[in-house]
Amino acid sequence: MTGKGVESVSPLAIEPGDARYENLVQGYNHRFTGRPERVCLPVGTDEVVAAVGDAVAAGKRIAVRSGGHCFEDFTASPDIEVLLDLSQLNTIAHDPRRRAIEIGAGATLGEVYRTLFKRWGVTIPGGTCFDVGAGGHVMGGGYGHLSRRDGLVVDHLYAVEVVVVDESGRARAVVATAADDDPHRELWWAHTGGGGGNFGVVTRYWLRTPGVESDDPGALLPKAPARVFKRTVMWPWDGMSEDAFGTLLDNYCAWYENNDDAGSPAAGLWSNLVATHRASGMFGMTVVIDHDGPDAEAVFTEQYEAVVKGVGVEPVVHTREVVPWFSSWMPSYTFPNDPKGRYKDKSGNLRKGFTERQRRVLYRYLTDPGRSNPTTCVVIAGYGGKVNTVSPQATATVQRDSILKVVYSCGVWQSKDEDEANIAWLRRFYREVYAESGGVPVPGDVSSGAYIGYPDADLADPAFNSSGVDWPRIYYGDNHPRLQQVKRAYDPRDVFRHSLSIALPPQ
Ligand SMILES: Cc1cc2nc3c(=O)[nH]c(=O)nc-3n(C[C@H](O)[C@H](O)[C@H](O)COP(=O)(O)OP(=O)(O)OC[C@H]3O[C@@H](n4cnc5c(N)ncnc54)[C@H](O)[C@@H]3O)c2cc1C
């Protein structure tokens, strides 16, 4: 049963003992393996309605997974009894009626990029891991190497279909659009950065750039670059003194502070500084810019010169090439990436470069002789530009004045026995970086909160967040009360929940 008066169209359900089960309960982060009673594999919205309605009627705790790339255990905590795996809802098509591109929540970013590019020559400014699912990625906000030019993925979100559960337990599908007169507009808004697993099950997104009205699918989203200038630089840790590292880091961040204007040619440039631990021997930066964008070569050259100025350590690798965008640049992973790995990551947005004290903390931890995992790293990814032209309230993504996104990672490891030491090290590191604000990136002069697409359950634990600022403020700022109102309207029974989910507002 799907609730009152709705006929059941139950999806395929896989239970323990089935050869497929173990494969389906394992997500990207091998620290978390769920043990649900069943994994449902719906192939359409009606099957999602049925699966949700049945689970609610039976009092079962449910969770939904699309690409399985969650940093935390939101789809694999031990209390989850029914897991909805949306991977079979992966349609990518032009919807002439909505004049938008329809994307099934289960489509991976790789499938999305390939189809958008090959069929229509367009793309979205999303992340660079091809296996991430559109499901969780889009509603987190979604950013990538084209975000400085084109904004966030949610800045192109026109509509979303969500299976929600009302007070009586009835499951139903709602399409919520950005249209001003849409009675479900707030539900759409909540999916523009409110994060996954909060309001219902997203089955489909419809994307089109605001202001574009066209019957031509090739006009609905940003044009994909044909080719890019691409630079890869690796610096040796040998000879990289604290001062040299500090200069490099300062220069890198300063370039983003000075080049945040969405209207400038520099908005076409994106880079990633992946400062791997000294145990790796070297660390590097990747830079890309659309070869055919305005002043591309000049910007490309200027950024490099600005970054290396006064560093005094020669790179051991430096390649500069022009490569086809799709086949040669994408995908380009931003994290240590091992499909059998165990991970713990933390994040923070920057409004400006790190303080001198923070730089010193970064250097000390990245050269910590007590650590030998070469995949330990701090990833500092370009941000801002077009992202910062949108008001913090226009979408649920409140961070509209950041210039960089930082991920702190203790790398990847394989054995459960190593969990504790790795995680403890990362917690110490993070706490010291944000020592002035209770161990977390409370929005302030330098920090601008954290990204819900990189959830970190520690932020909700007073042992690791002594700032006195509740975790929702760090992710959502002033948008949090509005997200709670959407929660009350669309998930009054708190069916969709996890350790960092939006709570119902106080009565
Ligand atoms: C290797 C790696 C690289 C990444 N790179 C980037 C990047 O470049 N840019 C960026 O912005 N982010 C990046 N991310 C973060 C990524 O966007 C988030 O982890 C995202 O939530 C993953 O979505 P998913 O569907 O794969 O994950 P899942 O684990 O399936 O889901 C994540 C969360 O969303 C919920 N959810 C998933 N599908 C649905 C649905 N259909 N309806 C309702 N809730 C749903 C889940 O319940 C869970 O709470 C990266 C993550 C990893 C692991």
Side-chain angles (χ1 to χ4, degrees):
M1 284 293 292
T2 61
K4 291 169 197 148
V6 181
E7 203 163 314
S8 178
V9 273
S10 298
L12 175 65
I14 307 295
E15 298 185 351
D18 186 300
R20 291 164 285 187
Y21 180 84
E22 294 299 335
N23 299 279
L24 292 172
V25 294
Q26 186 63 71
Y28 173 80
N29 189 343
H30 280 230
R31 272 204 302 131
F32 309 119
T33 305
R35 302 312 305 170
E37 289 170 11
R38 60 180 186 274
V39 182
C40 296
L41 284 150
V43 293
T45 303
D46 53 350
E47 291 196 354
V48 175
V49 172
V52 171
D54 285 349
V56 171
K60 301 285 183 193
R61 168 101 164 77
I62 59 179
V64 51
R65 172 182 284 169
S66 290
H69 271 55
C70 193
F71 279 14
E72 289 288 0
D73 71 347
F74 298 172
T75 67
S77 62
D79 56 335
I80 293 168
E81 294 162 302
V82 177
L83 178 66
L84 267 68
D85 176 325
L86 288 216
S87 58
Q88 303 308 297
L89 266 74
N90 58 357
T91 301
I92 302 162
H94 177 221
D95 180 342
R97 192 170 64 88
R98 288 208 165 85
R99 298 170 114 190
I101 304 291
E102 175 189 330
I103 293 183
T108 62
L109 290 186
E111 289 166 339
V112 172
Y113 294 135
R114 264 183 218 108
T115 304
L116 293 183
F117 184 63
K118 290 184 180 172
R119 293 198 61 187
W120 305 301
V122 297
T123 192
I124 50 172
T128 42
C129 175
F130 269 31
D131 294 329
V132 162
H137 184 70
V138 176
M139 68 185 93
Y143 84 99
H145 74 289
L146 291 173
S147 288
R148 285 171 45 80
R149 188 190 82 167
D150 298 326
L152 299 176
V153 177
V154 290
D155 297 338
H156 305 267
L157 181 65
Y158 167 66
V160 58
E161 181 178 71
V162 197
V163 174
V164 293
V165 179
D166 67 16
E167 194 78 65
S168 73
R170 187 177 69 100
R172 69 191 166 117
V174 174
V175 174
T177 75
D180 287 337
D181 59 352
D182 186 330
H184 298 297
R185 191 175 192 279
E186 283 299 284
L187 186 61
W188 163 83
W189 179 85
H191 285 85
T192 58
N198 279 310
F199 309 103
V201 180
V202 171
T203 46
R204 302 185 264 182
Y205 295 107
W206 285 268
L207 299 175
R208 75 167 186 235
T209 302
V212 173
E213 288 201 14
S214 176
D215 295 322
D216 171 9
L220 294 172
L221 289 169
K223 288 277 172 230
R227 51 203 173 143
V228 292
F229 285 111
K230 178 183 176 200
R231 186 189 305 279
T232 306
V233 192
M234 301 296 293
W235 288 277
W237 272 111
D238 270 350
M240 184 64 73
S241 66
E242 181 169 1
D243 283 347
F245 181 75
T247 303
L248 180 61
L249 205 55
D250 267 358
N251 290 347
Y252 182 80
C253 297
W255 188 87
Y256 280 94
E257 277 184 52
N258 297 333
N259 290 281
D260 188 40
D261 180 359
S264 81
L269 181 140
W270 181 83
S271 65
N272 215 12
L273 183 67
V274 184
T276 38
H277 186 269
R278 190 183 177 111
S280 65
M282 56 179 114
F283 66 93
M285 172 177 76
T286 304
V287 189
V288 282
I289 186 168
D290 182 351
H291 176 274
D292 304 312
D295 293 336
E297 188 159 13
V299 172
F300 186 63
T301 303
E302 185 272 322
Q303 188 259 1
Y304 181 67
E305 286 170 357
V307 169
V308 297
K309 192 168 175 202
V311 173
V313 179
E314 284 305 308
V316 282
V317 174
H318 186 176
T319 60
R320 183 184 175 286
E321 48 193 335
V322 176
V323 293
W325 173 72
F326 189 77
S327 57
S328 304
W329 157 247
M330 301 285 284
S332 168
Y333 296 109
T334 48
F335 293 95
N337 199 46
D338 175 343
K340 290 198 222 99
R342 305 171 80 88
Y343 301 85
K344 174 70 190 169
D345 301 285
K346 291 170 171 283
S347 80
N349 281 21
L350 289 176
R351 287 192 166 123
K352 51 170 134 156
F354 293 103
T355 64
E356 188 184 340
R357 188 197 63 76
Q358 288 178 315
R359 276 202 273 106
R360 294 193 184 284
V361 174
L362 259 66
Y363 183 82
R364 182 152 47 82
Y365 274 83
L366 289 173
T367 58
D368 176 0
R371 187 146 184 92
S372 56
N373 185 332
T375 58
T376 303
C377 62
V378 175
V379 179
I380 310 173
Y383 202 64
K386 190 71 183 277
V387 175
N388 291 347
T389 62
V390 176
S391 117
Q393 284 75 45
T395 67
T397 305
V398 77
Q399 289 103 1
R400 297 294 186 164
D401 60 359
S402 306
I403 54 159
L404 290 157
K405 265 192 193 296
V406 187
V407 174
Y408 305 83
S409 169
C410 48
V412 54
W413 66 99
Q414 264 71 35
S415 164
K416 188 176 187 330
D417 300 341
E418 296 169 44
D419 285 1
E420 207 180 307
N422 278 303
I423 296 168
W425 183 89
L426 184 66
R427 284 174 171 158
R428 283 196 302 277
F429 180 13
Y430 193 72
R431 185 198 291 268
E432 280 202 50
V433 172
Y434 297 108
E436 282 105 354
S437 51
V440 295
V442 174
D445 193 30
V446 170
S447 290
S448 178
Y451 175 39
I452 194 60
Y454 299 149
D456 173 14
D458 287 352
L459 294 194
D461 185 338
F464 307 111
N465 174 4
S466 55
S467 67
V469 178
D470 283 346
W471 67 265
R473 177 152 281 276
I474 295 170
Y475 288 116
Y476 303 116
D478 290 341
N479 284 340
H480 180 239
R482 188 167 163 193
L483 287 166
Q484 288 188 289
Q485 295 305 325
V486 179
K487 178 79 175 178
R488 174 152 57 204
Y490 290 96
D491 185 22
R493 296 163 63 115
D494 199 17
V495 168
F496 299 96
R497 61 184 189 275
H498 50 72
S499 56
L500 289 182
S501 56
I502 305 286
L504 287 163
Q507 287 295 331

